[in-house]
Amino acid sequence: MHKNIDPSHRVLITNGSSRTSYAALRSLSKSGIACWSADVSRFGMCQSSRFSKGHYLYTSHYESEEKFISDLVKLIEEHQITILFPSHNETEIIARNRHRFNSLAVSAIPDESHCRVFNNKSQAYDLAEKLGIPVPARIHYTEPQQIASLLASRGIERTVIKLLTGNSGKGVFYGDSPEHTRVVVEKLIEEYGLEFDRYPQVEEYVQGEGYGNSVLYWHGVHIANFTHRRLRDKIETGGTSVYREASSHKGIEAAAQKIFNSIGWHGLAMCEFKVCPVTGKFWFIEVNPRMWGSIPLAIAAGVDFPYLTYLCASRDTEAANIHNDACDVAYNWKGRWLLGDLFICLRNIMKGDFKTTSDILFKEKANSHDDFFLDDPFVFFGELFAYIKNTISKRSINPSEKGMVG
């Protein structure tokens, strides 16, 4: 057992089906920390892992926030859980109800008001713009009928249309022309029943490579950060990355730090940017105010965010800083989400694109995987079964629940 581990601590990781949660489970368990997982489903990655001490079920917060919180409180009390590790949108729900938990259990949870800002695309852009950080040009409209003329007057042809709430590429759409953008926005307003204050954000499409700067702050104090460059995404237009590498970029790292410092951030988060490879110009895209999908790369490359968070919560920031300072980042380390790449290969085969499929499978090497481990082989099959089940039930390879976008 690691010398920094207190055996009395018991960790519960929510959203156990996901790669993010499994990365935390694997990291903490291999450091000697007793971990349990919980989810709305019995099937998924943590559920299939030998590292989990046990798996519990709770009600989806999309179905009932009150029941979700009540279930969590009951699980914590019954199983003597000391620290909660949420990994997805449940983070903001727990933050909003932190008064229902003891302080140690929610010690790693961000402030609800900060989550609320970052989970709203428009408010996040407003904050970045106020701090002097470049953002894609936006148009401000009161009626969808104004969109085409406003875009034309600014010489904007291609656009990105974003519902104010969304993740993993969900709630993001594209306009090929001012008129097409107007049509898409009108359809979204009708489909989601959006009031004026929830109208989709319309911004100029910016060409560039995707970068992310991930951070851990503890009550406003910076503890660790890690930068990655996206090499391939599950969906060609963006969303979840399937292949990425450890990198560095002083410009976006300074911009991210400026954003998080400005509000006194607490906890884990990842700030996304687009970077032009020719000019070096970059634009703020969004903040994920929680653990993020590519966190397995950071851990494998040398920045063990879950363990550093545990040290801050169970001991102090000094212990986390000492551990982080002793670790070296392996730049150019490449990480792959294997199942995501297999989805891409299947899609390419169906198009008859065998060369790209061959390159992905045989030429592009990864130093680590998000979801395939010889010492824990069943997690891949747990993930595969969960994806098949969700794809069939939701009729989508990128399914969402009611309340997840809008």
Side-chain angles (χ1 to χ4, degrees), residues 116-158:
R116 196 163 57 243
V117 168
F118 290 139
N119 281 328
N120 181 300
K121 300 290 193 296
S122 180
Q123 291 182 25
Y125 269 52
D126 289 343
L127 174 61
E129 205 165 32
K130 180 181 177 182
L131 295 170
I133 295 166
V135 300
R138 293 180 289 172
I139 66 157
H140 300 281
Y141 61 96
T142 55
E143 297 291 339
Q145 294 85 348
Q146 302 171 315
I147 289 174
S149 59
L150 287 171
L151 288 171
S153 68
R154 298 186 63 175
I156 298 174
E157 190 71 14
R158 296 183 66 194

Side-chain angles (χ1 to χ4, degrees), residues 282-334:
F282 63 86
W283 300 267
F284 168 84
I285 299 299
E286 68 175 359
V287 169
N288 293 316
R290 50 175 171 78
M291 285 199 279
W292 52 97
S294 60
I295 196 172
L297 171 65
I299 297 169
V303 184
D304 194 341
F305 283 106
Y307 183 60
L308 293 172
T309 304
Y310 169 84
L311 288 178
C312 287
S314 64
R315 295 189 64 194
D316 50 41
T317 56
E318 182 181 2
N321 284 323
I322 290 172
H323 180 82
N324 193 46
D325 290 344
C327 298
D328 294 321
V329 177
Y331 293 104
N332 300 317
W333 184 282
K334 291 181 173 62

